[in-house]
Amino acid sequence: MKKIIYLSCFLGLVCAVAGGALTIVNNATAPIIEAMALESEKANLELIYPGANFSEVENTDETGLIKGIYQAEGLGYIYKVENYGYASTPFTFLIAFNNDGTVAGYQVLSSSETSGFGSRCFEEDYSNQVKALTSADAFPLLSGATLTSTGVTNGIDAAKAHFNNLQGIEYDPNAKAEAPALATGNPVSLSDDLSSFDAKIDNETADGNLVTYTIRVKGYGLIDPEGHAGESGHEYARNYYDVTVDKDTMSITSVKMTSFGDTEGIGDKVNNEEYLALFEGATLDSEIDTVTGATWTSKSVHAACKAALEAANQ
């Protein structure tokens, strides 16, 4: 019994000594580890504030988007942000504010966003828009890159919240930039070969000289989040349109998208009253613009309209 008590006391003493030693080691090495981490980040930070003295700031962000906060002595603050856009892997960027709230810099560190779409959020044109703003402004979305630019602005909003609170800057945290204007161009003729879109008429209803055709057609279709592809037997879900044709004039009177099976953040810009109105009055000889950043899905509208006009002509 005495032996057991002795061993218990001995083990307790060993644990106490080991715990104390570990605490001492941790206290001694923590500043070293922190300094090494800061040094490894310094090359990135100097992309915005060359030659500055940097220190790491406590990260109290609750969104999980801010991965590091750094103060450039006497100049401002840099936020390292990570978020997702269209790609399956996250992008990482730096957003920095001068002490007066003006944007000091915006720098991508890594990104796998689609070239010509999400990648535009880290290119010069968009970067210049960001650099012209302040921590009190709403940051812009980008037409043709809605998912990625939303991910970027959400990250910037998290950085703004921390910075403005730190500096006592008043702003409206709910302010949002206006949605980007619909950009169109590169007209496509309804007489072109659009067979690759595989437009199929599922139903038609007549009201005098007006006939409405329900048409399913391929779009861009990279993803199928709701699983419709398996149900339909196709590689992805289709876009559905109701196209109304005036058989007397052989022209389109209206186009409505009734079901969107395409890629969110890209093709959904086509589901826009302003854009679909461009097809009103169109005949098989008409040329209609496509939506910039959603050319393929735009052509699915062209294919649906062509199928409706051809059916009405039979």
PDB file of all heavy atoms in Angstrom, residues 200-205 211-216 241-243:
ATOM      1  N   LYS A 200     -35.655  20.524 -78.018  1.00  0.00           N
ATOM      2  CA  LYS A 200     -36.791  19.606 -78.173  1.00  0.00           C
ATOM      3  C   LYS A 200     -38.069  20.298 -77.695  1.00  0.00           C
ATOM      4  O   LYS A 200     -38.086  20.903 -76.619  1.00  0.00           O
ATOM      5  CB  LYS A 200     -36.575  18.335 -77.346  1.00  0.00           C
ATOM      6  CG  LYS A 200     -35.307  17.565 -77.672  1.00  0.00           C
ATOM      7  CD  LYS A 200     -35.349  16.942 -79.060  1.00  0.00           C
ATOM      8  CE  LYS A 200     -34.115  16.074 -79.285  1.00  0.00           C
ATOM      9  NZ  LYS A 200     -34.058  15.524 -80.664  1.00  0.00           N
ATOM     10  N   ILE A 201     -39.136  20.173 -78.505  1.00  0.00           N
ATOM     11  CA  ILE A 201     -40.424  20.733 -78.118  1.00  0.00           C
ATOM     12  C   ILE A 201     -41.201  19.689 -77.328  1.00  0.00           C
ATOM     13  O   ILE A 201     -41.481  18.596 -77.818  1.00  0.00           O
ATOM     14  CB  ILE A 201     -41.222  21.174 -79.360  1.00  0.00           C
ATOM     15  CG1 ILE A 201     -40.493  22.316 -80.071  1.00  0.00           C
ATOM     16  CG2 ILE A 201     -42.642  21.605 -78.956  1.00  0.00           C
ATOM     17  CD1 ILE A 201     -41.131  22.741 -81.365  1.00  0.00           C
ATOM     18  N   ASP A 202     -41.546  20.030 -76.102  1.00  0.00           N
ATOM     19  CA  ASP A 202     -42.282  19.111 -75.234  1.00  0.00           C
ATOM     20  C   ASP A 202     -43.782  19.338 -75.276  1.00  0.00           C
ATOM     21  O   ASP A 202     -44.569  18.422 -75.003  1.00  0.00           O
ATOM     22  CB  ASP A 202     -41.789  19.252 -73.779  1.00  0.00           C
ATOM     23  CG  ASP A 202     -40.423  18.622 -73.573  1.00  0.00           C
ATOM     24  OD1 ASP A 202     -39.996  17.833 -74.437  1.00  0.00           O
ATOM     25  OD2 ASP A 202     -39.772  18.936 -72.557  1.00  0.00           O
ATOM     26  N   ASN A 203     -44.169  20.568 -75.591  1.00  0.00           N
ATOM     27  CA  ASN A 203     -45.606  20.874 -75.557  1.00  0.00           C
ATOM     28  C   ASN A 203     -45.872  22.129 -76.373  1.00  0.00           C
ATOM     29  O   ASN A 203     -44.981  22.967 -76.554  1.00  0.00           O
ATOM     30  CB  ASN A 203     -46.066  21.083 -74.111  1.00  0.00           C
ATOM     31  CG  ASN A 203     -47.569  21.221 -73.995  1.00  0.00           C
ATOM     32  OD1 ASN A 203     -48.310  20.427 -74.563  1.00  0.00           O
ATOM     33  ND2 ASN A 203     -48.020  22.234 -73.279  1.00  0.00           N
ATOM     34  N   GLU A 204     -47.092  22.262 -76.888  1.00  0.00           N
ATOM     35  CA  GLU A 204     -47.499  23.489 -77.550  1.00  0.00           C
ATOM     36  C   GLU A 204     -48.967  23.763 -77.261  1.00  0.00           C
ATOM     37  O   GLU A 204     -49.786  22.851 -77.175  1.00  0.00           O
ATOM     38  CB  GLU A 204     -47.256  23.426 -79.050  1.00  0.00           C
ATOM     39  CG  GLU A 204     -48.072  22.393 -79.812  1.00  0.00           C
ATOM     40  CD  GLU A 204     -47.791  22.456 -81.312  1.00  0.00           C
ATOM     41  OE1 GLU A 204     -46.778  21.861 -81.729  1.00  0.00           O
ATOM     42  OE2 GLU A 204     -48.585  23.091 -82.036  1.00  0.00           O
ATOM     43  N   THR A 205     -49.287  25.023 -77.067  1.00  0.00           N
ATOM     44  CA  THR A 205     -50.677  25.438 -76.838  1.00  0.00           C
ATOM     45  C   THR A 205     -50.978  26.623 -77.734  1.00  0.00           C
ATOM     46  O   THR A 205     -50.145  27.533 -77.880  1.00  0.00           O
ATOM     47  CB  THR A 205     -50.912  25.847 -75.365  1.00  0.00           C
ATOM     48  OG1 THR A 205     -49.981  26.886 -75.017  1.00  0.00           O
ATOM     49  CG2 THR A 205     -50.719  24.660 -74.438  1.00  0.00           C
ATOM     50  N   VAL A 211     -49.036  30.782 -80.734  1.00  0.00           N
ATOM     51  CA  VAL A 211     -48.734  29.429 -80.282  1.00  0.00           C
ATOM     52  C   VAL A 211     -47.543  29.491 -79.330  1.00  0.00           C
ATOM     53  O   VAL A 211     -46.515  30.097 -79.656  1.00  0.00           O
ATOM     54  CB  VAL A 211     -48.397  28.482 -81.450  1.00  0.00           C
ATOM     55  CG1 VAL A 211     -48.154  27.066 -80.931  1.00  0.00           C
ATOM     56  CG2 VAL A 211     -49.491  28.493 -82.488  1.00  0.00           C
ATOM     57  N   THR A 212     -47.716  28.893 -78.151  1.00  0.00           N
ATOM     58  CA  THR A 212     -46.634  28.858 -77.173  1.00  0.00           C
ATOM     59  C   THR A 212     -46.032  27.461 -77.135  1.00  0.00           C
ATOM     60  O   THR A 212     -46.744  26.477 -76.941  1.00  0.00           O
ATOM     61  CB  THR A 212     -47.137  29.246 -75.767  1.00  0.00           C
ATOM     62  OG1 THR A 212     -47.662  30.580 -75.819  1.00  0.00           O
ATOM     63  CG2 THR A 212     -46.007  29.190 -74.745  1.00  0.00           C
ATOM     64  N   TYR A 213     -44.717  27.406 -77.320  1.00  0.00           N
ATOM     65  CA  TYR A 213     -43.987  26.134 -77.338  1.00  0.00           C
ATOM     66  C   TYR A 213     -43.146  26.025 -76.066  1.00  0.00           C
ATOM     67  O   TYR A 213     -42.425  26.961 -75.702  1.00  0.00           O
ATOM     68  CB  TYR A 213     -43.063  26.058 -78.556  1.00  0.00           C
ATOM     69  CG  TYR A 213     -43.788  26.124 -79.868  1.00  0.00           C
ATOM     70  CD1 TYR A 213     -44.015  27.354 -80.499  1.00  0.00           C
ATOM     71  CD2 TYR A 213     -44.253  24.964 -80.484  1.00  0.00           C
ATOM     72  CE1 TYR A 213     -44.680  27.424 -81.711  1.00  0.00           C
ATOM     73  CE2 TYR A 213     -44.932  25.027 -81.706  1.00  0.00           C
ATOM     74  CZ  TYR A 213     -45.143  26.262 -82.297  1.00  0.00           C
ATOM     75  OH  TYR A 213     -45.824  26.327 -83.501  1.00  0.00           O
ATOM     76  N   THR A 214     -43.263  24.879 -75.395  1.00  0.00           N
ATOM     77  CA  THR A 214     -42.398  24.580 -74.254  1.00  0.00           C
ATOM     78  C   THR A 214     -41.222  23.774 -74.787  1.00  0.00           C
ATOM     79  O   THR A 214     -41.404  22.692 -75.352  1.00  0.00           O
ATOM     80  CB  THR A 214     -43.145  23.781 -73.178  1.00  0.00           C
ATOM     81  OG1 THR A 214     -44.236  24.568 -72.698  1.00  0.00           O
ATOM     82  CG2 THR A 214     -42.218  23.438 -72.018  1.00  0.00           C
ATOM     83  N   ILE A 215     -40.020  24.312 -74.592  1.00  0.00           N
ATOM     84  CA  ILE A 215     -38.831  23.742 -75.245  1.00  0.00           C
ATOM     85  C   ILE A 215     -37.747  23.495 -74.200  1.00  0.00           C
ATOM     86  O   ILE A 215     -37.465  24.341 -73.349  1.00  0.00           O
ATOM     87  CB  ILE A 215     -38.299  24.700 -76.322  1.00  0.00           C
ATOM     88  CG1 ILE A 215     -39.401  24.962 -77.357  1.00  0.00           C
ATOM     89  CG2 ILE A 215     -37.050  24.140 -76.991  1.00  0.00           C
ATOM     90  CD1 ILE A 215     -39.059  26.062 -78.337  1.00  0.00           C
ATOM     91  N   ARG A 216     -37.140  22.307 -74.267  1.00  0.00           N
ATOM     92  CA  ARG A 216     -35.973  22.012 -73.427  1.00  0.00           C
ATOM     93  C   ARG A 216     -34.744  21.980 -74.313  1.00  0.00           C
ATOM     94  O   ARG A 216     -34.774  21.500 -75.450  1.00  0.00           O
ATOM     95  CB  ARG A 216     -36.132  20.677 -72.687  1.00  0.00           C
ATOM     96  CG  ARG A 216     -36.443  19.483 -73.547  1.00  0.00           C
ATOM     97  CD  ARG A 216     -36.729  18.258 -72.675  1.00  0.00           C
ATOM     98  NE  ARG A 216     -37.351  17.201 -73.435  1.00  0.00           N
ATOM     99  CZ  ARG A 216     -36.695  16.206 -74.036  1.00  0.00           C
ATOM    100  NH1 ARG A 216     -35.381  16.155 -73.941  1.00  0.00           N
ATOM    101  NH2 ARG A 216     -37.340  15.279 -74.706  1.00  0.00           N
ATOM    102  N   TYR A 241     -37.731  26.712 -71.821  1.00  0.00           N
ATOM    103  CA  TYR A 241     -38.272  28.005 -72.222  1.00  0.00           C
ATOM    104  C   TYR A 241     -39.692  27.851 -72.738  1.00  0.00           C
ATOM    105  O   TYR A 241     -40.034  26.826 -73.352  1.00  0.00           O
ATOM    106  CB  TYR A 241     -37.419  28.634 -73.340  1.00  0.00           C
ATOM    107  CG  TYR A 241     -35.982  28.867 -72.984  1.00  0.00           C
ATOM    108  CD1 TYR A 241     -34.998  27.930 -73.314  1.00  0.00           C
ATOM    109  CD2 TYR A 241     -35.582  30.031 -72.337  1.00  0.00           C
ATOM    110  CE1 TYR A 241     -33.665  28.147 -72.994  1.00  0.00           C
ATOM    111  CE2 TYR A 241     -34.257  30.249 -72.017  1.00  0.00           C
ATOM    112  CZ  TYR A 241     -33.297  29.300 -72.349  1.00  0.00           C
ATOM    113  OH  TYR A 241     -31.987  29.514 -72.034  1.00  0.00           O
ATOM    114  N   ASP A 242     -40.493  28.873 -72.501  1.00  0.00           N
ATOM    115  CA  ASP A 242     -41.775  29.021 -73.183  1.00  0.00           C
ATOM    116  C   ASP A 242     -41.591  30.115 -74.218  1.00  0.00           C
ATOM    117  O   ASP A 242     -41.327  31.279 -73.863  1.00  0.00           O
ATOM    118  CB  ASP A 242     -42.885  29.416 -72.203  1.00  0.00           C
ATOM    119  CG  ASP A 242     -43.433  28.211 -71.440  1.00  0.00           C
ATOM    120  OD1 ASP A 242     -43.108  27.065 -71.814  1.00  0.00           O
ATOM    121  OD2 ASP A 242     -44.170  28.427 -70.457  1.00  0.00           O
ATOM    122  N   VAL A 243     -41.701  29.726 -75.490  1.00  0.00           N
ATOM    123  CA  VAL A 243     -41.517  30.680 -76.582  1.00  0.00           C
ATOM    124  C   VAL A 243     -42.848  30.821 -77.317  1.00  0.00           C
ATOM    125  O   VAL A 243     -43.400  29.828 -77.807  1.00  0.00           O
ATOM    126  CB  VAL A 243     -40.428  30.212 -77.566  1.00  0.00           C
ATOM    127  CG1 VAL A 243     -40.239  31.240 -78.677  1.00  0.00           C
ATOM    128  CG2 VAL A 243     -39.113  29.961 -76.830  1.00  0.00           C
TER     129      VAL A 243
END
